[in-house]
Amino acid sequence: QNSAVSHTSKAKKKFVKVYWVAPGDAPKHVQFLATVVKKYKTFWVKIPGAIVSQPNAPSPTTPFHKTSETVSTSHPISYLTKPFNASGCGNTKFCVRNPSSCDPESASCFFLSFRQEKSSVLIEMSGPSEGYLAFALSHDQWMGDDDAYLCVNEDHHVSISTGYLKERSPPVLDSENALEDVSWRLADGVLQCSFRRNIHLTAHKGRFNLNASYYIFLADGEAGEGGLIHKHHRQPLITSGTYNITGLPQDIGGSRSPQLIKTHGVLMFVAWITTVSIGVIVARFFKPVWSHSYLFGKEMWFQVHRMLMLTTVMLTSISFVLPFIYRGGWNKQAGFHPYLGCTVMALAIFQPLMAGFRPAPHAPRRQLFNWFHWSTGTTARILAVVTMFLGMDLPALDLPDPWDTYTMFGFVAWHVGIDVLLEIHSYCLIRKVEVIEDDRIQILQSLTSAEAEASHHFGHLFKQIVLTIYVCGNIVFLIVFLIAINQI
């Protein structure tokens, strides 16, 4: 108290004026020391001011401070002159690349390499980022208690530092850096940094020894003023297993989407884009087409419909539990996606349970059942599509945007178009032929029996052709989705 003064505003200043009231027993000579902060990691302490003396006091025999003392966390740096290359990956150095086997000289390649040199490791990291690049060594596939290394772009100057990840929070940067031979480069939107670290760092708390096996994380994101990093918008790359970067050199790829989340997306896509859509088309338009064809003792359309719908429920149930296994519980950062997903799961289970208690075809409550069955199924399908739209934008899946959205819009348009086509066809057919409840064809006065039979046959053939085209189209959408999800 009464020994220092500091500012209370974070606004930038060119000067500060303060007054000091000397106590009654003030010493004959006083010197004020200043600490100046330019950025979070650039500051100077104990900058000496002029010596102030009382009137008639003799001059001090020795200066209080001969020179100013500067403290900075930055190390001497050099500048890289060209991009990194993949030569030696798998032979003399351990490499991680995303996408797999990409060229680090490309502007879209995330690259991380480790090359052991006696008792140290030379580390190179590059990728398309205007903010920061970071990698971490971890004992598991979850963020927390990890050894992190960050390259942060601060106003076109890159700071390279070490840090410690504690749970899902920003890294705690070390006050003393354990890195040597630091160098960096910024060119064409690509951030590069290179540094050396000893394999063993017993004196630095939080640094892992590099001769053990770890999961490797690789992340990028935006950085704010003063080098403050923001949460990554996309899922970090996480290796599928643990690796010893000082062991046998390897050249591995990586995915920014965990395998369980990939499987979750694929199963949901198959269930709600393929099987349920075909099942609805069959039940809606193929009763008269397959009414006299039987499979395992029941009408063919009903057996196909039931098989596809039960497949949908089975795939949805398996897919539903995968994110909970991956996350170890509820994900609070996924927005409305998990809430809608739970609703779809509940409706998917309710549908076959309700179908198991359906009344007989001519029972008084059959119409009520038909209405509930249709409305529940339609609601589930609409919510499923909305849920998939929301899920495709989540970082854990990281599908190529905006092509994932275009593909889903394409499917919706494809399904609606086929549905409308079959509805128009059915309407036109009814104008010529009226189907009675016992499935006998009543010939209208304007048609001969041959004309009615031909129209009836052509209508069935047309529907089967449309169904074949629709199934093929759904398979195409599925293949496109599988290709996209396999690239992340």
Side-chain angles (χ1 to χ4, degrees):
Q1 187 177 1
N2 298 328
S3 64
V5 64
S6 179
H7 66 175
T8 58
S9 169
K10 64 180 180 180
K12 294 183 178 180
K13 308 168 183 63
K14 292 185 177 180
F15 68 92
V16 176
K17 181 185 288 186
V18 296
Y19 295 92
W20 176 61
V21 180
D25 58 347
K28 296 183 181 297
H29 307 282
V30 176
Q31 185 178 36
F32 293 96
L33 306 177
T35 292
V36 179
V37 179
K38 180 182 179 181
K39 295 181 180 178
Y40 175 75
K41 294 174 59 180
T42 306
F43 52 89
W44 299 264
V45 303
K46 296 183 180 180
I47 302 174
I51 298 175
V52 181
S53 303
Q54 293 195 29
N56 302 323
S59 299
T61 56
T62 57
F64 286 17
H65 285 79
K66 294 181 180 180
T67 58
S68 64
E69 180 181 352
T70 302
V71 176
S72 175
T73 58
S74 300
H75 286 268
I77 61 172
S78 61
Y79 299 95
L80 299 168
T81 58
K82 59 182 180 179
F84 299 138
N85 60 74
S87 62
C89 286
N91 295 319
T92 60
K93 59 184 179 182
F94 188 103
C95 297
V96 181
R97 295 193 263 179
N98 176 242
S100 299
S101 302
C102 66
D103 186 354
E105 298 187 23
S106 167
S108 60
C109 181
F110 289 91
F111 178 75
L112 177 64
S113 72
F114 306 88
R115 185 173 66 200
Q116 183 177 357
E117 297 177 350
K118 296 182 180 180
S119 62
S120 65
V121 175
L122 178 64
I123 301 170
E124 296 176 335
M125 179 166 53
S126 66
S129 177
E130 298 289 345
Y132 72 90
L133 288 175
F135 82 89
L137 305 176
S138 177
H139 295 290
D140 53 37
Q141 291 184 302
W142 296 99
M143 181 177 173
D145 299 327
D146 305 325
D147 182 7
Y149 300 81
L150 301 95
C151 300
V152 185
N153 181 5
E154 302 179 16
D155 298 329
H156 304 288
H157 173 88
V158 176
S159 66
I160 303 174
S161 58
T162 57
Y164 177 74
L165 293 177
K166 185 178 181 181
E167 298 179 351
R168 301 180 68 86
S169 57
V172 179
L173 300 181
D174 296 332
S175 58
E176 295 185 9
N177 215 328
L179 308 178
E180 301 173 349
D181 298 340
V182 174
S183 56
W184 59 270
R185 179 175 182 257
L186 282 171
D188 301 325
V190 176
L191 190 158
Q192 294 175 249
C193 58
S194 173
F195 50 89
R196 187 184 306 278
R197 211 215 83 168
N198 288 334
I199 295 177
H200 300 278
L201 288 174
T202 56
H204 293 267
K205 184 179 180 180
R207 303 281 72 78
F208 295 176
N209 291 329
L210 299 183
N211 57 351
S213 295
Y214 307 101
Y215 289 97
I216 302 173
F217 292 16
L218 180 60
D220 65 287
E222 297 179 356
E225 187 176 353
L228 180 65
I229 68 172
H230 300 293
K231 180 184 176 182
H232 42 79
H233 292 303
R234 57 189 307 204
Q235 179 82 1
L237 180 149
I238 305 175
T239 57
S240 58
T242 59
Y243 294 91
N244 185 348
I245 59 177
T246 59
L248 181 67
Q250 297 185 57
D251 185 10
I252 64 173
S255 172
R256 292 180 179 267
S257 180
Q259 198 63 41
L260 284 176
I261 300 300
K262 279 186 176 183
T263 306
H264 168 76
V266 169
L267 293 181
M268 284 298 186
F269 199 91
V270 172
W272 294 97
I273 296 301
T274 306
T275 58
V276 77
S277 301
I278 298 173
V280 169
I281 291 289
V282 168
R284 175 72 180 85
F285 298 104
F286 281 80
K287 287 183 182 180
V289 177
W290 295 341
S291 59
H292 298 293
S293 300
Y294 291 87
L295 184 65
F296 301 116
K298 289 187 177 292
E299 293 180 340
M300 183 174 172
W301 74 265
F302 176 76
Q303 293 286 50
V304 172
H305 172 75
R306 181 166 63 178
M307 178 188 67
L308 291 172
M309 291 310 179
L310 290 178
T311 302
T312 299
V313 175
M314 180 186 68
L315 294 176
T316 304
S317 301
I318 296 172
S319 177
F320 179 77
V321 301
L322 297 182
F324 291 96
I325 296 175
Y326 172 71
R327 292 289 180 185
W330 187 264
N331 185 5
K332 298 180 180 179
Q333 300 178 334
F336 290 104
H337 178 78
Y339 296 97
L340 291 177
C342 290
T343 304
V344 171
M345 183 73 255
L347 292 175
I349 294 177
F350 180 68
Q351 270 289 78
L353 292 178
M354 179 171 56
F357 294 95
R358 65 185 181 278
H362 302 290
R365 290 179 295 177
R366 182 60 181 238
Q367 284 297 105
L368 185 63
F369 163 80
N370 290 340
W371 188 89
F372 271 111
H373 190 65
W374 174 87
S375 60
T376 303
T378 302
T379 302
R381 293 179 64 207
I382 294 173
L383 290 180
V385 171
V386 173
T387 305
M388 284 190 287
F389 268 109
L390 296 176
M392 289 188 303
D393 292 330
L394 292 177
L397 197 54
D398 193 37
L399 285 170
D401 187 61
W403 298 107
D404 55 346
T405 305
Y406 294 159
T407 301
M408 278 300 297
F409 274 123
F411 162 74
V412 172
W414 169 254
H415 177 77
V416 172
I418 293 295
D419 212 325
V420 170
L421 178 64
L422 290 174
E423 286 285 358
I424 293 174
H425 173 263
S426 298
Y427 175 76
C428 293
L429 195 63
I430 289 174
R431 290 175 60 89
K432 293 183 177 180
V433 179
E434 182 181 11
V435 180
I436 305 178
E437 288 184 358
D438 61 358
D439 292 332
R440 288 183 293 105
I441 299 177
Q442 178 182 2
I443 310 302
L444 301 181
Q445 292 181 355
S446 59
L447 296 175
T448 66
S449 61
E451 290 174 334
E453 185 66 27
S455 176
H456 178 71
H457 178 73
F458 175 77
H460 287 184
L461 179 63
F462 178 81
K463 285 184 177 179
Q464 295 188 75
I465 293 174
V466 171
L467 178 63
T468 302
I469 295 174
Y470 180 71
V471 171
C472 292
N474 280 29
I475 294 174
V476 170
F477 279 108
L478 179 61
I479 292 173
V480 170
F481 182 77
L482 291 175
I483 292 174
I485 206 171
N486 192 48
Q487 297 300 316
I488 56 178

